[in-house]
Amino acid sequence: MGGGGRGMGGGNRGMTAQPDAVSGTAQAGQARQRAATDTGIRKLAVTSEGPAMTDRVDPRFGRAAGFVVVDLETMETTYVDNGASQVLAQGAGIQAAETLANAGVQAVLTGYVGPKAFTALTAAGIRIGQDVENVSVAEAVRLYTTGAVSFADAPNKPAGANK
Amino acid sequence: MIYAIASGKGGTGKTTVASSLVSLWDGPVTAVDLDVEEPNLHLFLKPEIHRTDPAYIEIPEADESKCTLCRACSTLCQFKAITVMGQTLLIFPEMCHGCGGCLTVCPEGALTPGRRQLGEICHGRAGNVRFIMGRLRVGEAMSPPLMRQVKALFADMVAEDDKADIIVDAPPGVSCPAVSAVIDADCVVLVTEPTPFGLHDFKLAWEAFSPFGIPMGAVINRAGIGDDSVQRFCADKGIPIWAEIPFDRAVAEAYSRGEVVARAVAPLRGTFRQLRRNMREAAMAREAACAR
């Protein structure tokens, strides 16, 4: 079984993703836009069904297919596979949190986070934006940069609910 | 000898058979409820419980001042019960299987044994029958560690007195708890019912338990309903049918009143005595074969 940080199997897909979708609205909301330099959040992970910005947000945290990691200054993306969590009967959320900590992200956007994953992410200093679902990864990032996603101070699912 | 009363399908009559066997046993016997997630043998045997002991599993506790965040523990743990996130050592007690590995590998002595309650073990007596029951704590997910503690109690009894007989009411199914209940037995009684559903789960149980090489026989409960598919399967695989309990209103009524059916329904006494003989012979034959 995987220890921490073996989840980079997807590799760097190096996309300069969807400049139209993101930058158009970003300019409109510039006054409220969250700049990476202000928030201290430069690398943002989004739980995703696939590696592209057009893929949908996977609402599950621990059992998410993977994470699209966005550098908010350059808008470059990488994909981190979450296979190490899929093989665990229990503790997927903790494993996923480890994977994100090793990927060096400062925040994650997802649908639901259970209590153990929440504790683990918080200990690693990773902020959590919950209730992001039914949108593409690009749209989730846009929602974040325009200030529409707030960070949670409590988990929104009971343990093991995302199996 | 340890006799496990098991079944693939739940609700086939394990407790009915176990309680009847206990009540007709012709020697010192201990009745053990190993269905720790939902013990119910006591409802029929109505033992007087004279002692209840809490049961615990060992989990790590951390002295963070000694921890150097080396990750030796988190690398070892297969269950994500102990992990290092950022600059913090995190322990998730409910994930811990109690293997003690993290305490062994910690080079700094930063981990010490703590405990999590698994449930309780009740000791009692019903007439001449000694009674032991494990009961899992509500919210606890792991039953085999508690079952192991109950099994250690009766293993000691058997080690002290080789005439001691243990009748185990096992949990249903074929997963870890069921396997844990039958794996140390000298003889397994598989209770089933003669229906397609009964046959389906009977097959699973037979497939799961066969590799242990423990003598197994079938008890067909509610005989007379359904079809003859279980009998045909037994004939095909050479599984002896040790008893058939007829589908009978008198049995159902006794059961519904919480009575031991072998006591309440006179014609069943012969059936259970024959079952007892068959179980004994199978267990003795195995013992003789092992001695050779």
Side-chain angles (χ1 to χ4, degrees):
Chain A
M1 232 176 279
R6 303 211 187 128
M8 297 297 285
N12 188 337
R13 310 271 169 116
M15 290 164 292
T16 31
Q18 281 77 34
D20 291 336
V22 177
S23 63
T25 39
Q27 274 160 12
Q30 204 146 35
R32 290 184 297 125
Q33 187 172 343
R34 289 174 173 180
T37 44
D38 297 343
T39 57
I41 294 169
R42 174 158 177 181
K43 285 178 91 175
L44 175 72
V46 185
T47 54
S48 170
E49 292 178 356
M53 289 292 269
T54 48
D55 283 315
R56 289 172 68 81
V57 170
D58 191 331
R60 305 166 303 169
F61 175 70
R63 306 262 174 211
F67 308 95
V68 174
V69 177
V70 184
D71 184 315
L72 292 171
E73 285 190 353
T74 63
M75 294 313 280
E76 276 181 15
T77 67
T78 52
Y79 182 64
V80 178
D81 184 73
N82 193 33
S85 292
Q86 310 296 351
V87 299
L88 295 177
Q90 290 167 328
I94 302 167
Q95 176 63 56
E98 278 182 18
T99 301
L100 285 188
N102 291 330
V105 309
Q106 290 90 38
V108 61
L109 306 181
T110 187
Y112 325 110
V113 176
K116 289 190 283 288
F118 199 95
T119 301
L121 286 167
T122 305
I126 297 171
R127 310 293 306 274
I128 302 151
Q130 296 175 129
D131 300 315
V132 178
E133 55 181 325
N134 297 320
V135 292
S136 67
V137 174
E139 175 66 5
V141 173
R142 189 194 67 77
L143 289 169
Y144 168 77
T145 54
T146 56
V149 179
S150 56
F151 288 124
D153 47 25
N156 63 351
K157 273 278 172 179
N162 286 336
K163 274 181 189 165
Chain B
M1 292 289 180
I2 299 168
Y3 300 95
I5 317 302
S7 75
K9 183 179 172 299
T12 50
K14 285 181 297 301
T15 304
T16 299
V17 170
S19 59
S20 289
L21 282 169
V22 165
S23 74
L24 292 179
W25 208 254
D26 51 352
V29 64
T30 301
V32 179
D33 200 338
L34 262 185
D35 188 3
V36 301
E37 288 181 60
E38 41 203 348
N40 59 1
L41 184 58
H42 63 289
L43 298 178
F44 295 89
L45 296 181
K46 303 178 179 67
E48 218 171 287
I49 301 293
H50 50 71
R51 203 173 91 228
T52 298
D53 299 325
Y56 299 96
I57 191 171
E58 183 186 281
I59 62 164
E61 274 176 11
D63 179 346
E64 280 165 44
S65 67
K66 290 184 182 168
C67 177
T68 60
L69 304 174
C70 75
R71 296 178 187 246
C73 55
S74 64
T75 305
L76 180 83
C77 184
Q78 299 297 297
F79 302 105
K80 296 284 145 198
I82 188 161
T83 183
V84 175
M85 295 295 301
Q87 298 302 303
T88 313
L89 178 69
L90 286 179
I91 295 174
F92 296 96
E94 69 271 37
M95 308 295 281
C96 178
H97 287 228
C99 75
C102 56
L103 280 83
T104 305
V105 300
C106 178
E108 310 297 333
L111 298 174
T112 51
R115 63 187 193 178
R116 171 178 97 232
Q117 187 170 1
L118 291 168
E120 58 189 24
I121 300 174
C122 306
H123 301 259
R125 192 163 268 286
N128 292 323
V129 176
R130 210 170 147 180
F131 177 82
I132 305 175
M133 167 174 75
R135 195 201 295 269
L136 203 65
R137 176 178 58 83
V138 172
E140 173 60 50
M142 292 168 212
S143 56
L146 175 59
M147 295 173 69
R148 280 196 286 277
Q149 294 182 26
V150 177
K151 290 202 298 179
L153 291 173
F154 65 70
D156 285 349
M157 289 180 204
V158 176
E160 273 170 33
D161 173 10
D162 60 3
K163 298 274 183 296
D165 282 327
I166 314 288
I167 292 179
V168 172
D169 193 4
V174 292
S175 61
C176 294
V179 168
S180 177
V182 306
I183 196 163
D184 307 314
D186 298 296
C187 169
V188 174
V189 178
L190 284 182
V191 185
T192 185
E193 57 182 35
T195 63
F197 190 7
L199 173 67
H200 180 271
D201 290 2
F202 179 75
K203 275 186 193 166
L204 290 178
W206 180 77
E207 285 168 16
F209 304 153
S210 287
F212 304 142
I214 303 168
M216 275 195 285
V219 169
I220 297 178
N221 192 16
R222 302 188 193 100
I225 61 167
D227 56 26
D228 63 352
S229 55
V230 171
Q231 281 94 336
R232 279 191 280 117
F233 179 79
C234 287
D236 188 37
K237 300 291 181 191
I239 306 163
I241 296 172
W242 284 342
E244 296 199 15
I245 303 166
F247 184 57
D248 178 357
R249 187 176 181 92
V251 176
E253 283 181 359
Y255 171 83
S256 70
R257 287 191 299 264
E259 293 172 10
V260 174
V261 299
R263 267 196 220 128
V265 185
L268 283 183
R269 285 173 210 162
T271 306
F272 280 104
R273 284 196 195 104
Q274 183 58 48
L275 171 59
R276 184 186 68 203
R277 268 194 293 280
N278 290 332
M279 289 161 63
R280 274 243 170 82
E281 279 168 20
M284 298 288 186
R286 178 183 188 236
E287 193 179 47
C290 288
R292 249 183 268 130

